[in-house]
Amino acid sequence: MNRILSVVFLSAAFACITYQSQAQGCVALRGTGTPSCLLSQPDETEARSDKWILNMGGRYFKSYKHFKGSDEQKERTENHTEVINHQTAIDFSLTRLLNKHWSVMIDVPLLINSRSSLYEHGLINGVNNYNQRHSMHSYGLGDIRVAAYRWLLDPEKHKRGNVQLGVGIKFATGDYDYKDYWYNVGPNGTKELRTVDQSIQLGDGGTGFTVELNAYQSIAKHFGLYANAYYLINPREQNGTRTYRETLTPALANEAICSVPDQYMARGGVNFMSRGFTGAIGARLEGLPVNDLIGGSGDFRRPGYVISLEPSASYSFKKSSLFVGVPVALRRVRTQSVTDKARSTPANKVNGDAAFADYVVTVGYSFRL
């Protein structure tokens, strides 16, 4: 049972890594620290000498399919006017197992992003006068997070099922005013150094607070259930970073500054365990809300959510484990933002668009120290 629990929690931990950077495209969910669903072998914690767990994870996706609401804007790809984001996150987290109930974790994400578009490089009054596609890039440290976790039930008495609660703080360590060149926007079509799009900024500029809930339940010899939920509370309304959207059209004047939105994730499913191998299949919901729990929700954000089918597999060795997962998008929705609603009339519903990926590839490695 202890080995099974180890694999169950490792699988959950690395699946949670997929929440690290910018979700699935322009709906910007960036590095907030790995939700620590990884407390392995809780009933052995005090007896073991290796009470440190080092996790290393990677995530990659390409977003390019545009949605308004749940409607895909297929003409964007057909006309080659889509925005294409390539985004990679490399995540390092270190967890200290304090005793059978408590653990603490620090997470450090590194982000590598590129964004290719037409509309940001020469668009004047809704027309791209140069018809040139260019790319912008960002890379560096994301937002660091620290968190503490506790098993709510006594692990010695509840080996077949338990619930873990976590609370943490996300620090604004990632650059939220990262700059690269916009082409054909200066005098006589020259390039200018401007802030990159919100979706590839390295941080959101807010100090946030995280709440997590992780649970497992064994239902048979080789089968179990898992569930994880995560919410980031960002009280700050906007971070002062200019979007330049007001230069594209005067109608976007209320989207000139970046918002600092909340984020959320929930997932659950069933896994099969045999020796060191675990295979899992489940559903995953992640997104960015229209309205924050605390603070204002104005300025520019792309709210929306993704529902995915999430297959994953892991293999546990004596002191280390490997993980791979590929969440595949089933439903992608770009919801109306606060500014979208303010611009809407009974005769004209305004709904901005966002680009999403078809799938995300995540890999991970864990080692006990």
Side-chain angles (χ1 to χ4, degrees):
M1 176 61 69
N2 290 333
R3 189 172 184 83
I4 291 174
L5 291 179
S6 177
V7 178
V8 170
F9 288 115
L10 181 70
S11 300
F14 282 121
C16 288
I17 287 174
T18 64
Y19 193 61
Q20 277 313 289
S21 62
Q22 290 77 357
Q24 291 203 34
C26 291
V27 177
L29 306 180
R30 53 185 58 78
T32 56
T34 307
S36 183
C37 349
L38 53 81
L39 245 184
S40 58
Q41 299 165 306
D43 53 332
E44 289 186 349
T45 299
E46 292 182 322
R48 297 187 63 111
S49 60
D50 48 348
K51 296 185 178 182
W52 293 92
I53 302 176
L54 175 65
N55 293 310
M56 295 171 285
R59 161 193 172 104
Y60 169 80
F61 67 83
K62 170 189 173 182
S63 65
Y64 66 102
K65 290 185 177 179
H66 288 253
F67 287 80
K68 287 187 177 182
S70 59
D71 297 328
E72 183 180 351
Q73 308 298 294
K74 295 182 179 180
E75 69 277 6
R76 297 291 298 271
T77 53
E78 293 170 356
N79 297 329
H80 304 292
T81 61
E82 77 277 21
V83 175
I84 304 172
N85 281 8
H86 292 274
Q87 298 179 291
T88 302
I90 303 172
D91 184 86
F92 301 90
S93 68
L94 184 64
T95 299
R96 169 65 174 177
L97 308 180
L98 301 177
N99 54 47
K100 66 180 181 180
H101 283 287
W102 288 94
S103 66
V104 293
M105 181 274 295
I106 181 170
D107 183 274
V108 181
L110 302 177
L111 308 177
I112 305 169
N113 307 312
S114 70
R115 177 180 174 87
S116 168
S117 71
L118 283 168
Y119 84 90
E120 290 161 310
H121 305 285
L123 189 70
I124 300 175
N125 295 325
V127 178
N128 190 297
N129 295 292
Y130 296 91
N131 197 31
Q132 295 179 9
R133 178 178 289 274
H134 291 278
S135 296
M136 293 177 283
H137 303 82
S138 65
Y139 56 89
L141 179 68
D143 287 347
I144 294 174
R145 189 172 71 96
V146 296
Y149 299 88
R150 189 183 193 282
W151 291 108
L152 300 185
L153 304 177
D154 187 341
E156 294 179 351
K157 298 179 181 179
H158 300 272
K159 297 181 180 181
R160 294 181 60 83
N162 211 331
V163 179
Q164 184 190 59
L165 179 65
V167 293
I169 300 176
K170 179 194 71 68
F171 300 97
T173 53
D175 190 349
Y176 54 92
D177 193 24
Y178 198 99
K179 295 180 174 64
D180 201 353
Y181 285 102
W182 293 41
Y183 289 80
N184 307 317
V185 293
N188 300 317
T190 57
K191 63 182 181 181
E192 287 187 359
L193 191 64
R194 296 181 176 183
T195 49
V196 299
D197 185 79
Q198 186 182 47
S199 65
I200 64 168
Q201 288 290 343
L202 302 178
D204 59 25
T207 298
F209 305 94
T210 60
V211 179
E212 299 169 57
L213 191 66
N214 309 304
Y216 75 94
Q217 179 64 55
S218 177
I219 57 176
K221 182 179 179 181
H222 294 290
F223 292 89
L225 303 175
Y226 67 88
N228 314 107
Y230 174 98
Y231 196 94
L232 167 65
I233 301 170
N234 262 325
R236 188 176 184 182
E237 181 172 11
Q238 53 108 321
N239 59 23
T241 298
R242 187 178 176 187
T243 66
Y244 290 89
R245 292 178 65 81
E246 79 283 0
T247 67
L248 304 178
T249 171
L252 299 179
N254 56 350
E255 297 186 348
I257 303 298
C258 285
S259 178
V260 184
D262 289 358
Q263 304 173 19
Y264 61 86
M265 184 275 293
R267 59 189 292 273
V270 61
N271 46 40
F272 169 80
M273 299 154 285
S274 178
R275 298 180 183 270
F277 172 79
T278 294
I281 188 73
R284 180 185 187 93
L285 166 68
E286 58 185 321
L288 185 152
V290 177
N291 295 290
D292 294 343
L293 289 181
I294 301 174
S297 307
D299 301 285
F300 176 62
R301 68 172 68 186
R302 295 185 183 98
Y305 62 88
V306 182
I307 299 175
S308 302
L309 179 69
E310 185 177 29
S312 62
S314 66
Y315 192 85
S316 179
F317 302 93
K318 183 176 180 180
K319 297 189 67 171
S320 63
S321 299
L322 296 171
F323 168 85
V324 61
V326 186
V328 178
L330 301 178
R331 180 174 173 82
R332 289 158 282 190
V333 179
R334 170 35 164 111
T335 51
Q336 274 189 302
S337 67
V338 170
T339 51
D340 286 339
K341 294 178 180 180
R343 293 167 53 200
S344 295
T345 66
N348 180 34
K349 178 183 177 180
V350 176
N351 199 137
D353 75 323
F356 294 85
D358 289 327
Y359 59 89
V360 180
V361 178
T362 61
V363 295
Y365 176 73
S366 175
F367 186 79
R368 278 187 173 273
L369 304 176

